[in-house]
Every structure is written in structure tokens, then in C-alpha cells.
Amino acid sequence: MPSTIQTPEQILADLGIREPEDLEIEAIAEYCGATIRYKPLYGCEARIIGYHDRAIITINSSSPRSRQRFSGGHELGHWMRDRGQIAFKCDYQSYVRGWWASNPETCANRFASDVLLPLGMFQPRARGLHVTFETVRKLADTFMTSLTSTAIRLVEHGGLPSMLVCNTPQKKEWFVASPEVSGRLWPLARPKQGSSASSLLSTTREAKGPIDVRCDNWINHPRADHYWIKEDSLSLRDGTVLSLLWWEDEQQLLDLDEYEERMGSRRSDGRTDWE
Ligand SMILES: [Zn+2]
């Protein structure tokens, strides 16, 4: 076991892992002092009990393999952060919804992404690919990871202007944005009726794949009705709807600079008065 707390990148470098097929979560966890075992669990996906420098991670044996791997990375994230004496019990909701708040669940999810979707391997495979769930599925197959974590990685590091928005039937849970969009455009509290997500949230109908949608169905900006974006939405098993938004036509982003300059209202925190 490494003597000091290491980053996921250092751990993978120590183990000489360079290809996605070598990202064996059991071996990575063992190197970090945590043994993974599988057994039926009820009411949670995984749990960890750790004491001193050893931990046992138990993962639900009846979950799909991609989720089991994510569970392993997630529990390992708890372990690497709070080594010594810990006990966590984590459910599916933490994996889907824990990406926004600053709390141990979000940190554990981020750790799992860094271990299972390392940027050095992910970026060359993702760069320039269309921001759709078809792409996400291909990358998730390569890395054997969940749709949610892979979609977040694609938006944040795929190199195209995009957002991933997570809505539950009750509210918008979180969103992530690519560097070109982050801090410049924000999603509405709720997608409007013209969006695919709106119909998925109100009915149980099937997702219809990527559609062109007017930007004001999604984005909070006075000129949003002048632009179109590509939306690809799907429902997860608990009714959560994930939506990929892609500025395939980047005109809105190009016009933003001019608009912001004209408004002259940029505040010191980087947000603008029309937000
Ligand atoms: Zn957790």
C-alpha cells in the first residue's frame, strides 16, 4: 500500500496501467489497502468498512458490471480521503445525483471517475466525437463505466461546447458544462415543453435520440430564442432524466462575447446581470 495518500493518477502510474482494459478495480483497490468482495446487498449498492490501514469493500453481486466497477471506485474514493476509520453505505442515488454539492459523495464520485476514466486515456478517445448518448455508450463500453460518469467526462473533457443536465421529476438536480460554456450560460430551472426532456419527465415514453431544439427551451438568456442546440435525453431507471446539450452550431457562443461587451454588465464574480 502507498505510504502517503496519492492521487488517482499517481496510483495508476505506480501500477503501470496505461490501457482501459487494464483498469482492474479490484487490483487498484488492493494496492490501496482495500479488498473488494461481492455479495448480495439489499437497499444499497456498496459499503466500506475500514480500520487503520485496511478496508473491506462489499459490492452488490447482482448489479451490472459497470455499476459494480463504479461502486468499487466510489468506495475507494471514500477510503483514500478518510483513511483510518470509516464506514460508508452508498446507494444508486448517490452515484447519479451526487455530482454537484461539495460533500463526501461527490468527492467519491469524482475519485471513481479519475480512476476508471483517467484523462490520459479518455481524452484521446473522446476528442471531437459527437456529444450524444451513442458516443457515451461507446466510451462506456471501452471503459466499462456507467452512462452518467462517462457522459460527465465527455462534456467536461471531450473538447466540444456542451452541457449535461440532470433533472428528476421534482427538480433540476445538477448540471456540468464544458469549459467553453461554463460560467457563461446556465440552464433554466426546468426545461420547457419543446425539449425532449420535458416529455420524458412527464410521461414514460421512450427517448427519441438527438433532436434539434431551440435554445430557449433550455438556456436562460434573453437571446436564447435566436439559436438552436442539439439535445439528447434519456431516462434512467429511477425516473431521472439526463440531457446532453451540444452547441454543434457555435454561433451563440461567438455572439456571447459581443453581447456581454454591449451589455457592459459583467460583475466581479463573472456572472452577468441578465442571468
Ligand atoms: Zn458514498
PDB file of all heavy atoms in Angstrom, residues 68-84:
ATOM      1  N   GLN A  68     -20.920  -2.082 -10.725  1.00  0.00           N
ATOM      2  CA  GLN A  68     -20.036  -2.668  -9.705  1.00  0.00           C
ATOM      3  C   GLN A  68     -18.667  -1.990  -9.733  1.00  0.00           C
ATOM      4  O   GLN A  68     -18.091  -1.671  -8.701  1.00  0.00           O
ATOM      5  CB  GLN A  68     -19.858  -4.166  -9.960  1.00  0.00           C
ATOM      6  CG  GLN A  68     -21.087  -4.989  -9.660  1.00  0.00           C
ATOM      7  CD  GLN A  68     -20.871  -6.463  -9.978  1.00  0.00           C
ATOM      8  OE1 GLN A  68     -19.984  -6.828 -10.757  1.00  0.00           O
ATOM      9  NE2 GLN A  68     -21.691  -7.312  -9.379  1.00  0.00           N
ATOM     10  N   ARG A  69     -18.175  -1.766 -10.952  1.00  0.00           N
ATOM     11  CA  ARG A  69     -16.861  -1.122 -11.056  1.00  0.00           C
ATOM     12  C   ARG A  69     -16.913   0.298 -10.504  1.00  0.00           C
ATOM     13  O   ARG A  69     -16.010   0.742  -9.801  1.00  0.00           O
ATOM     14  CB  ARG A  69     -16.413  -1.096 -12.527  1.00  0.00           C
ATOM     15  CG  ARG A  69     -15.896  -2.439 -13.014  1.00  0.00           C
ATOM     16  CD  ARG A  69     -15.738  -2.471 -14.522  1.00  0.00           C
ATOM     17  NE  ARG A  69     -14.964  -1.354 -15.069  1.00  0.00           N
ATOM     18  CZ  ARG A  69     -13.647  -1.226 -14.978  1.00  0.00           C
ATOM     19  NH1 ARG A  69     -12.935  -2.141 -14.373  1.00  0.00           N
ATOM     20  NH2 ARG A  69     -13.028  -0.183 -15.500  1.00  0.00           N
ATOM     21  N   PHE A  70     -18.000   1.003 -10.837  1.00  0.00           N
ATOM     22  CA  PHE A  70     -18.121   2.368 -10.320  1.00  0.00           C
ATOM     23  C   PHE A  70     -18.229   2.352  -8.795  1.00  0.00           C
ATOM     24  O   PHE A  70     -17.627   3.180  -8.106  1.00  0.00           O
ATOM     25  CB  PHE A  70     -19.323   3.094 -10.937  1.00  0.00           C
ATOM     26  CG  PHE A  70     -19.305   4.564 -10.646  1.00  0.00           C
ATOM     27  CD1 PHE A  70     -18.508   5.423 -11.391  1.00  0.00           C
ATOM     28  CD2 PHE A  70     -20.027   5.088  -9.589  1.00  0.00           C
ATOM     29  CE1 PHE A  70     -18.442   6.778 -11.096  1.00  0.00           C
ATOM     30  CE2 PHE A  70     -19.972   6.438  -9.281  1.00  0.00           C
ATOM     31  CZ  PHE A  70     -19.181   7.285 -10.044  1.00  0.00           C
ATOM     32  N   SER A  71     -18.989   1.377  -8.268  1.00  0.00           N
ATOM     33  CA  SER A  71     -19.099   1.245  -6.805  1.00  0.00           C
ATOM     34  C   SER A  71     -17.717   1.078  -6.185  1.00  0.00           C
ATOM     35  O   SER A  71     -17.404   1.690  -5.161  1.00  0.00           O
ATOM     36  CB  SER A  71     -19.936   0.014  -6.433  1.00  0.00           C
ATOM     37  OG  SER A  71     -21.272   0.191  -6.816  1.00  0.00           O
ATOM     38  N   GLY A  72     -16.896   0.225  -6.821  1.00  0.00           N
ATOM     39  CA  GLY A  72     -15.547  -0.010  -6.304  1.00  0.00           C
ATOM     40  C   GLY A  72     -14.741   1.281  -6.276  1.00  0.00           C
ATOM     41  O   GLY A  72     -14.095   1.612  -5.274  1.00  0.00           O
ATOM     42  N   GLY A  73     -14.804   2.038  -7.382  1.00  0.00           N
ATOM     43  CA  GLY A  73     -14.069   3.305  -7.450  1.00  0.00           C
ATOM     44  C   GLY A  73     -14.601   4.313  -6.444  1.00  0.00           C
ATOM     45  O   GLY A  73     -13.839   5.055  -5.816  1.00  0.00           O
ATOM     46  N   HIS A  74     -15.912   4.328  -6.275  1.00  0.00           N
ATOM     47  CA  HIS A  74     -16.562   5.266  -5.350  1.00  0.00           C
ATOM     48  C   HIS A  74     -16.156   4.966  -3.893  1.00  0.00           C
ATOM     49  O   HIS A  74     -15.743   5.862  -3.158  1.00  0.00           O
ATOM     50  CB  HIS A  74     -18.079   5.146  -5.539  1.00  0.00           C
ATOM     51  CG  HIS A  74     -18.900   5.990  -4.618  1.00  0.00           C
ATOM     52  ND1 HIS A  74     -19.450   7.194  -4.998  1.00  0.00           N
ATOM     53  CD2 HIS A  74     -19.270   5.798  -3.325  1.00  0.00           C
ATOM     54  CE1 HIS A  74     -20.124   7.705  -3.975  1.00  0.00           C
ATOM     55  NE2 HIS A  74     -20.034   6.878  -2.945  1.00  0.00           N
ATOM     56  N   GLU A  75     -16.240   3.701  -3.501  1.00  0.00           N
ATOM     57  CA  GLU A  75     -15.873   3.345  -2.118  1.00  0.00           C
ATOM     58  C   GLU A  75     -14.382   3.590  -1.883  1.00  0.00           C
ATOM     59  O   GLU A  75     -13.975   4.031  -0.811  1.00  0.00           O
ATOM     60  CB  GLU A  75     -16.219   1.878  -1.823  1.00  0.00           C
ATOM     61  CG  GLU A  75     -17.697   1.534  -1.925  1.00  0.00           C
ATOM     62  CD  GLU A  75     -18.598   2.434  -1.093  1.00  0.00           C
ATOM     63  OE1 GLU A  75     -18.228   2.788   0.037  1.00  0.00           O
ATOM     64  OE2 GLU A  75     -19.679   2.801  -1.593  1.00  0.00           O
ATOM     65  N   LEU A  76     -13.594   3.306  -2.912  1.00  0.00           N
ATOM     66  CA  LEU A  76     -12.162   3.573  -2.796  1.00  0.00           C
ATOM     67  C   LEU A  76     -11.921   5.072  -2.600  1.00  0.00           C
ATOM     68  O   LEU A  76     -11.013   5.476  -1.862  1.00  0.00           O
ATOM     69  CB  LEU A  76     -11.451   3.071  -4.064  1.00  0.00           C
ATOM     70  CG  LEU A  76      -9.938   2.981  -4.028  1.00  0.00           C
ATOM     71  CD1 LEU A  76      -9.461   2.096  -2.891  1.00  0.00           C
ATOM     72  CD2 LEU A  76      -9.414   2.458  -5.371  1.00  0.00           C
ATOM     73  N   GLY A  77     -12.754   5.887  -3.240  1.00  0.00           N
ATOM     74  CA  GLY A  77     -12.669   7.340  -3.049  1.00  0.00           C
ATOM     75  C   GLY A  77     -12.906   7.717  -1.595  1.00  0.00           C
ATOM     76  O   GLY A  77     -12.189   8.546  -1.028  1.00  0.00           O
ATOM     77  N   HIS A  78     -13.910   7.095  -0.965  1.00  0.00           N
ATOM     78  CA  HIS A  78     -14.136   7.346   0.474  1.00  0.00           C
ATOM     79  C   HIS A  78     -12.897   6.944   1.273  1.00  0.00           C
ATOM     80  O   HIS A  78     -12.466   7.649   2.178  1.00  0.00           O
ATOM     81  CB  HIS A  78     -15.325   6.513   0.981  1.00  0.00           C
ATOM     82  CG  HIS A  78     -16.669   7.051   0.584  1.00  0.00           C
ATOM     83  ND1 HIS A  78     -17.018   8.371   0.726  1.00  0.00           N
ATOM     84  CD2 HIS A  78     -17.768   6.428   0.069  1.00  0.00           C
ATOM     85  CE1 HIS A  78     -18.278   8.539   0.305  1.00  0.00           C
ATOM     86  NE2 HIS A  78     -18.746   7.379  -0.101  1.00  0.00           N
ATOM     87  N   TRP A  79     -12.340   5.803   0.909  1.00  0.00           N
ATOM     88  CA  TRP A  79     -11.204   5.257   1.663  1.00  0.00           C
ATOM     89  C   TRP A  79      -9.971   6.152   1.540  1.00  0.00           C
ATOM     90  O   TRP A  79      -9.305   6.467   2.527  1.00  0.00           O
ATOM     91  CB  TRP A  79     -10.906   3.848   1.143  1.00  0.00           C
ATOM     92  CG  TRP A  79      -9.717   3.161   1.736  1.00  0.00           C
ATOM     93  CD1 TRP A  79      -8.665   2.630   1.060  1.00  0.00           C
ATOM     94  CD2 TRP A  79      -9.471   2.883   3.124  1.00  0.00           C
ATOM     95  NE1 TRP A  79      -7.785   2.056   1.923  1.00  0.00           N
ATOM     96  CE2 TRP A  79      -8.246   2.197   3.201  1.00  0.00           C
ATOM     97  CE3 TRP A  79     -10.151   3.166   4.302  1.00  0.00           C
ATOM     98  CZ2 TRP A  79      -7.694   1.782   4.410  1.00  0.00           C
ATOM     99  CZ3 TRP A  79      -9.605   2.759   5.511  1.00  0.00           C
ATOM    100  CH2 TRP A  79      -8.393   2.070   5.556  1.00  0.00           C
ATOM    101  N   MET A  80      -9.671   6.593   0.339  1.00  0.00           N
ATOM    102  CA  MET A  80      -8.460   7.373   0.138  1.00  0.00           C
ATOM    103  C   MET A  80      -8.567   8.749   0.781  1.00  0.00           C
ATOM    104  O   MET A  80      -7.575   9.390   1.090  1.00  0.00           O
ATOM    105  CB  MET A  80      -8.166   7.518  -1.362  1.00  0.00           C
ATOM    106  CG  MET A  80      -7.869   6.200  -2.049  1.00  0.00           C
ATOM    107  SD  MET A  80      -6.574   5.234  -1.228  1.00  0.00           S
ATOM    108  CE  MET A  80      -5.100   6.047  -1.845  1.00  0.00           C
ATOM    109  N   ARG A  81      -9.795   9.189   0.988  1.00  0.00           N
ATOM    110  CA  ARG A  81      -9.992  10.508   1.582  1.00  0.00           C
ATOM    111  C   ARG A  81     -10.027  10.439   3.110  1.00  0.00           C
ATOM    112  O   ARG A  81      -9.524  11.315   3.795  1.00  0.00           O
ATOM    113  CB  ARG A  81     -11.324  11.061   1.051  1.00  0.00           C
ATOM    114  CG  ARG A  81     -11.604  12.484   1.373  1.00  0.00           C
ATOM    115  CD  ARG A  81     -12.988  12.830   0.828  1.00  0.00           C
ATOM    116  NE  ARG A  81     -13.610  13.844   1.646  1.00  0.00           N
ATOM    117  CZ  ARG A  81     -13.535  15.133   1.400  1.00  0.00           C
ATOM    118  NH1 ARG A  81     -12.872  15.568   0.364  1.00  0.00           N
ATOM    119  NH2 ARG A  81     -14.133  15.997   2.188  1.00  0.00           N
ATOM    120  N   ASP A  82     -10.642   9.385   3.618  1.00  0.00           N
ATOM    121  CA  ASP A  82     -10.879   9.321   5.072  1.00  0.00           C
ATOM    122  C   ASP A  82     -10.262   8.077   5.684  1.00  0.00           C
ATOM    123  O   ASP A  82     -10.885   7.397   6.483  1.00  0.00           O
ATOM    124  CB  ASP A  82     -12.395   9.300   5.362  1.00  0.00           C
ATOM    125  CG  ASP A  82     -13.065  10.560   4.873  1.00  0.00           C
ATOM    126  OD1 ASP A  82     -12.489  11.630   5.067  1.00  0.00           O
ATOM    127  OD2 ASP A  82     -14.152  10.462   4.289  1.00  0.00           O
ATOM    128  N   ARG A  83      -9.057   7.740   5.254  1.00  0.00           N
ATOM    129  CA  ARG A  83      -8.459   6.509   5.784  1.00  0.00           C
ATOM    130  C   ARG A  83      -8.275   6.584   7.290  1.00  0.00           C
ATOM    131  O   ARG A  83      -8.127   7.653   7.852  1.00  0.00           O
ATOM    132  CB  ARG A  83      -7.118   6.255   5.119  1.00  0.00           C
ATOM    133  CG  ARG A  83      -7.290   5.423   3.894  1.00  0.00           C
ATOM    134  CD  ARG A  83      -6.036   4.753   3.504  1.00  0.00           C
ATOM    135  NE  ARG A  83      -5.069   5.704   2.973  1.00  0.00           N
ATOM    136  CZ  ARG A  83      -3.982   5.323   2.326  1.00  0.00           C
ATOM    137  NH1 ARG A  83      -3.735   4.054   2.160  1.00  0.00           N
ATOM    138  NH2 ARG A  83      -3.143   6.204   1.865  1.00  0.00           N
ATOM    139  N   GLY A  84      -8.240   5.430   7.905  1.00  0.00           N
ATOM    140  CA  GLY A  84      -8.086   5.383   9.358  1.00  0.00           C
ATOM    141  C   GLY A  84      -9.246   4.603   9.925  1.00  0.00           C
ATOM    142  O   GLY A  84      -9.134   3.433  10.235  1.00  0.00           O
TER     143      GLY A  84
END
